[in-house]
């Protein structure tokens, strides 16, 4: 797949605040790409650089090999769906959607046909004459989508497209956006702070932090092979054990060694990270000597349909641990609060990550 | 019917008295303008003869024309400048003293503004006439227009400007197609208020007008007529002015009603 957008060392400062810090990334043809991160991480600034509403202080951005920054925002083959939807309140649905075509001097029957096609694509036929304030939130979102798609841009930018919808509608629209992206064959770049949303929709994700691209990869790569504590913590639930990197794992303060895979310099501070669903709860220490095992006390149990969420206190690591166990697991039936158990997992399920700073430790608490 | 409690009755009576106090004199004036005899002391029958008398008076026609020239030109210029001022202020970092400065022409007593403008014109050695009244009215009308338009801009979603540019419009095209239509109710309301203020403004016009009937506005003419006592013609004139002002203010309020935001 060929690259549509290439960013090289893009930086942007607002006064003394650094919004983007030498961001480089490649977005491919026909890709559903998510810019993910907490608020203030620079993801929206990055989107606005692509749209042309912000000019980077440094760096290059190219679209199909051509310098995108040299093109004025109203001439870029890029359209944006705004978080507030930004519908024109004085124009009806038809004229909102037709606006971009009119700016391209499309007239007459072609204007009519292309506008109706765009409206049909988002299932808004019949609402052409309504004003934005006569529409529901979901309908407004669809108008905004149709308006941004009607010009068939090379790239569609979506700024928190689902944030204003209620939870149930959000789930439907996630599927809908994926379907649309396949149907129209346009590269979608979506900004979101919701990791579940990004995992669900995107082909690839750039997880951003403090204006930097912390890790880029498929949802599976980010989930299974996080490169840092931040990524591991942001994507899904994760248990962390603090220790020191030894020859074949992370050594806790008590001397117990937890085995795992990953990069961290020898004898440097490290985390051992393991997902809650990878933990196995057993009444007795497992026979399999290779497995990691820690004694733990059950603090709390909550039922959520398919699995039980069990919170455990691990005295040895001075940590609270979350385990998600299948409700069908026969071992689980007799678990009670206050009970002392064994928490086990195979080394292949755990990642060793560098433990950098004090602030990171604080964040984890 | 439910019994009305005495406190409520007292409140109603109080409200009625206040309204009577506010509108009583105006009602008397309107009624007298239709009094056949023209005397404030006795009602002798309904007549429109005082209105008919106005139609024949050349000096009144001249003054009405002058007032319309002043009001229309001052409103046109003040609406454009005031709207641009409001749009410009909206782009600035909000600072209280700049906003405060905008209110000054509204707050300064008319007499002070009148003297200041007259001194200013004298300093510039400008000949006085209708044009100097127009300049003076522009000064305070800009402030009123800007305040009304700014209030409108407060619920203006700036992302619609970016959306328009994103969809291929130029900055100028975006102003005409998006910004202006969206703030239009505020602009029109501001213009109507400016026009209303201009047609019955007296003090500033009186100070900054030249000599002679060529720059005598309608309120100035009424003032000169009233020196010989309130005549029935003046009642008729006042009723017409009242009607025009009332209508314009009602229209401006209608137009500028806040719309439910999407």
């Amino acid at each position: 797949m060929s690259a549509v957008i290439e960013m090289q060392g893009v930086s942007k400062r607002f006064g003394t605040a650094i919004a983007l810090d030498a961001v480089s990334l490649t977005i491919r043809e026909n890709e559903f790409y998510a810019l993910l991160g907490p608020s203030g991480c620079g993801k929206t600034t990055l989107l606005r650089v692509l749209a042309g509403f912000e000019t980077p202080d440094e760096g290059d951005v190219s679209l199909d090999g051509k310098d995108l920054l040299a093109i004025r925002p109203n001439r870029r083959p890029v359209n944006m769906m705004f978080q507030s939807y930004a519908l024109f309140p004085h124009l009806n649905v038809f004229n909102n959607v037709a606006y971009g075509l009119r700016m391209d001097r499309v007239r007459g029957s072609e204007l009519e046909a292309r506008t109706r096609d765009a409206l049909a694509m988002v299932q808004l036929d019949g609402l052409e004459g309504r004003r934005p304030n006569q529409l529901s939130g979901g309908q407004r979102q669809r108008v905004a989508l149709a308006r941004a798609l009607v010009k068939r841009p090379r790239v569609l930018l979506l700024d928190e497209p689902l944030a204003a919808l209620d939870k149930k509608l959000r789930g439907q629209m996630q599927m809908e956006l994926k379907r649309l992206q396949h149907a129209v064959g346009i590269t979608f770049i979506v900004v979101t702070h919701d990791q579940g949303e990004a995992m669900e929709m995107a082909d690839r994700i750039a997880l951003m932090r403090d204006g930097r691209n912390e890790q880029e990869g498929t949802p599976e790569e980010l989930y299974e092979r996080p490169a840092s504590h931040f990524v591991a913590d942001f994507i899904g639930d994760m248990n962390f054990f603090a220790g020191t990197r030894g020859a074949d794992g992370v050594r806790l303060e008590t001397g117990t060694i937890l085995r795992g895979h990953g990069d961290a310099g020898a004898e440097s501070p490290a985390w051992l990270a393991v997902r809650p669903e990878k933990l196995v709860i057993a009444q007795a220490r497992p026979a399999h000597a290779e497995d990691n095992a820690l004694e733990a006390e059950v603090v709390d149990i909550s039922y959520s349909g398919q699995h039980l969420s069990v919170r455990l206190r691990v005295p040895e690591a001075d940590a609270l641990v979350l385990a998600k166990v299948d409700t069908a697991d026969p071992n689980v039936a007799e678990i009670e609060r206050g009970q002392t158990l064994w928490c086990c997992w195979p080394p292949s399920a755990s990642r060793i990550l560098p433990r950098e700073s004090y602030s990171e430790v604080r964040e984890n608490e | 019917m439910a019994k009305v409690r005495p406190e409520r009755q007292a409140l109603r009576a109080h409200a009625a008295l206040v309204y009577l106090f506010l509108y009583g004199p105006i009602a008397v004036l309107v009624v007298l303008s239709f009094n056949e005899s023209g005397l404030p002391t006795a009602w002798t029958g309904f007549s429109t003869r005082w209105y008919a008398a106005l139609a024949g008076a050349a000096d009144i026609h001249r003054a009405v024309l002058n007032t319309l020239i002043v009001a229309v030109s001052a409103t046109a210029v003040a609406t454009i400048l005031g709207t641009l001022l409001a749009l410009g202020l909206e782009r600035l970092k909000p600072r209280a003293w700049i906003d405060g400065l905008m209110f000054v022409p509204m707050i300064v007593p008319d007499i002070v503004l009148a003297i200041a403008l007259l001194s200013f014109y004298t300093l510039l050695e400008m000949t006085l006439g209708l044009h100097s009244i127009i300049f003076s009215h522009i000064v305070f009308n800009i402030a009123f227009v800007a305040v009304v338009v700014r209030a409108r801009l407060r619920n203006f979603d700036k992302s619609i400007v970016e959306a328009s540019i994103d969809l291929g419009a130029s900055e100028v095209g975006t102003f005409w197609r998006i910004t202006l239509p969206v703030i239009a109710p505020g602009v029109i309301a501001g213009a109507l208020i400016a026009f209303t203020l201009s047609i019955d403004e007296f003090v500033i016009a009186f100070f900054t007008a030249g000599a002679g009937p060529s720059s005598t506005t309608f309120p100035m003419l009424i003032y000169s007529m009233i020196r010989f006592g309130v005549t029935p013609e003046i009642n008729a004139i006042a009723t017409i002015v009242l009607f025009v002002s009332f209508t314009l203010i009602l229209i401006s309020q209608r137009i500028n009603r806040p719309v439910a935001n999407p």
Side-chain angles (χ1 to χ4, degrees):
Chain A
M1 275 198 291
S2 59
V4 177
I5 284 180
E6 273 185 277
M7 283 198 158
Q8 275 302 326
V10 172
S11 294
K12 175 78 187 172
R13 267 174 295 276
F14 294 109
T16 53
I18 298 170
L20 294 174
D21 187 3
V23 175
S24 298
L25 44 86
T26 304
I27 297 166
R28 301 180 194 136
E29 183 90 50
N30 251 332
E31 191 169 42
F32 202 128
Y33 194 90
L35 295 168
L36 174 66
S39 59
C41 72
K43 56 192 190 301
T44 299
T45 306
L46 198 62
L47 203 70
R48 291 174 60 82
V49 164
L50 291 173
F53 302 135
E54 306 290 352
T55 310
D57 301 325
E58 284 159 50
D60 298 309
V61 183
S62 70
L63 187 145
D64 292 331
K66 281 176 297 213
D67 183 8
L68 187 66
L69 300 179
I71 309 173
R72 281 184 296 148
N74 57 345
R75 295 276 157 255
R76 295 186 183 188
V78 167
N79 285 127
M80 177 147 161
M81 189 187 140
F82 290 78
Q83 182 172 7
S84 68
Y85 307 147
L87 300 181
F88 306 131
H90 61 301
L91 300 179
N92 64 22
V93 168
F94 184 91
N95 287 326
N96 259 283
V97 175
Y99 189 88
L101 295 174
R102 290 209 165 97
M103 293 303 116
D104 281 358
R105 305 194 186 288
V106 178
R107 296 279 185 269
S109 57
E110 193 194 345
L111 178 89
E112 181 90 11
R114 285 178 67 181
T115 306
R116 291 201 187 281
D117 278 354
L119 285 168
M121 203 163 58
V122 294
Q123 286 121 43
L124 276 179
D125 345 41
L127 295 180
E128 289 87 349
R130 298 264 189 98
R131 290 285 183 93
N133 61 6
Q134 297 169 314
L135 300 173
S136 71
Q139 288 168 335
R140 282 204 285 270
Q141 198 241 22
R142 286 160 187 273
V143 176
L145 196 55
R147 188 180 68 177
L149 277 172
V150 74
K151 289 175 74 171
R152 301 267 160 173
R154 283 289 287 146
V155 177
L156 180 70
L157 310 173
L158 303 104
D159 188 6
E160 299 276 5
L162 308 177
L165 302 179
D166 60 58
K167 201 175 171 190
K168 194 159 181 195
L169 204 52
R170 213 180 302 160
Q172 286 173 18
M173 280 311 295
Q174 281 179 16
M175 307 297 289
E176 183 74 13
L177 281 177
K178 274 201 91 147
R179 181 191 68 79
L180 258 178
Q181 197 257 335
H182 282 295
V184 296
I186 290 172
T187 303
F188 277 31
I189 303 176
V190 60
V191 155
T192 177
H193 65 277
D194 182 332
Q195 55 95 15
E197 206 171 283
M199 300 283 282
E200 194 95 9
M201 293 192 292
D203 299 318
R204 284 195 308 143
I205 299 171
L207 179 54
M208 295 185 63
R209 177 199 194 185
D210 298 337
R212 279 174 293 120
N213 182 0
E214 185 90 359
Q215 190 177 354
E216 189 187 34
T218 63
E220 192 192 340
E221 279 164 3
L222 262 61
Y223 192 82
E224 299 291 345
R225 290 183 293 284
S228 68
H229 176 277
F230 177 78
V231 177
D233 195 34
F234 198 88
I235 307 277
D237 292 316
M238 185 67 97
N239 296 307
F240 294 99
F241 300 99
T244 308
R245 180 76 162 106
D248 49 359
V250 171
R251 189 175 63 248
L252 302 182
E253 263 182 49
T254 55
T256 305
I257 289 176
L258 299 175
R259 284 170 233 279
H261 301 290
D263 304 319
E267 295 306 315
S268 60
W271 293 107
L272 188 106
V274 59
R275 296 281 177 198
E277 68 275 13
K278 303 278 168 68
L279 295 179
V280 179
I281 290 174
Q283 301 286 349
R285 194 187 169 98
H288 202 324
E290 281 294 300
D291 277 4
N292 295 314
L294 289 168
E295 210 169 14
E297 185 196 335
V298 177
V299 177
D300 194 35
I301 308 163
S302 60
Y303 175 83
S304 52
Q306 218 202 333
H307 60 252
L308 285 179
S309 293
V310 185
R311 280 179 200 284
L312 306 122
R313 204 169 58 79
V314 178
E316 198 180 345
D318 192 21
L320 268 175
V321 165
L322 174 69
K324 284 184 186 163
V325 291
D326 201 319
T327 40
D329 185 344
N331 279 335
V332 164
E334 289 144 32
I335 296 183
E336 279 174 22
R337 202 173 297 174
Q339 196 179 357
T340 302
L341 298 160
W342 285 88
C343 214
C344 328
W345 68 97
S348 63
S350 43
R351 298 275 302 166
I352 298 170
L353 300 169
R355 185 156 59 97
E356 289 149 4
S357 60
Y358 179 64
S359 69
E360 199 179 70
V361 180
R362 288 284 299 272
E363 231 171 64
N364 189 39
E365 287 165 359
Chain B
M1 217 170 91
K3 226 171 79 181
V4 182
R5 290 189 305 166
E7 308 92 86
R8 279 200 79 84
Q9 277 182 322
L11 276 176
R12 281 181 189 179
H14 175 256
L17 275 173
V18 169
Y19 273 82
L20 189 68
F21 181 71
L22 282 177
Y23 288 100
I26 295 173
V28 168
L29 178 135
V30 173
V31 170
L32 284 180
S33 76
F34 292 104
N35 190 1
E36 215 274 324
S37 74
L39 297 169
T41 46
W43 178 259
T44 54
F46 179 86
S47 160
T48 53
R49 61 179 277 213
W50 304 113
Y51 290 89
L54 289 182
D59 55 343
I60 290 179
H61 292 173
R62 182 75 196 251
V64 167
L65 186 67
N66 282 343
T67 287
L68 286 178
I69 291 170
V70 168
V72 169
S73 353
T75 300
V77 177
T79 302
I80 294 168
L81 294 181
T83 302
L84 291 177
L85 175 66
L87 287 168
L89 285 176
E90 200 62 23
R91 288 194 177 200
L92 284 182
K93 201 163 53 169
R95 263 171 297 203
W97 67 269
I98 292 184
D99 278 341
L101 221 53
M102 195 173 73
F103 284 102
V104 169
M106 299 170 69
I107 300 164
V108 169
D110 283 358
I111 188 81
V112 175
L113 195 58
I115 296 166
L117 285 163
L118 181 61
S119 319
F120 185 65
Y121 295 148
T122 314
L123 192 72
L124 293 180
E125 295 179 18
M126 203 166 95
T127 41
L128 299 180
L130 268 193
H131 61 280
S132 51
I133 304 179
I134 294 172
F135 287 140
S136 309
H137 280 194
I138 290 170
V139 169
F140 67 82
N141 275 340
I142 285 177
F144 282 94
V145 172
V147 166
V148 175
V149 174
R150 276 210 87 182
R152 189 81 195 178
L153 283 171
R154 206 145 292 156
N155 338 319
F156 184 83
D157 176 10
K158 284 171 202 71
S159 63
I160 65 174
V161 169
E162 287 183 342
S164 166
I165 289 170
D166 184 67
L167 291 166
S170 62
E171 297 238 5
V172 176
T174 298
F175 176 78
W176 289 110
R177 287 164 173 276
I178 303 298
T179 311
L180 195 57
V182 172
I183 66 168
V187 175
I188 294 170
L192 288 174
I193 288 172
F195 188 78
T196 312
L197 292 172
S198 211
I199 52 170
D200 67 356
E201 199 287 321
F202 170 69
V203 176
I204 293 169
F206 185 76
F207 272 69
T208 57
S214 67
S215 61
T216 299
T217 63
F218 193 49
M220 287 162 69
L221 182 73
I222 297 176
Y223 177 73
S224 66
M225 286 164 75
I226 215 158
R227 276 185 289 188
F228 311 105
V230 180
T231 65
E233 288 98 331
I234 291 179
N235 286 340
I237 291 172
T239 303
I240 293 170
V241 174
L242 182 75
F243 179 74
V244 172
S245 304
F246 243 68
T247 311
L248 291 177
I249 294 294
L250 272 179
I251 293 173
S252 95
Q253 284 188 340
R254 223 348 113 80
I255 291 174
N256 203 24
R257 251 195 316 214
V259 283
N261 254 336

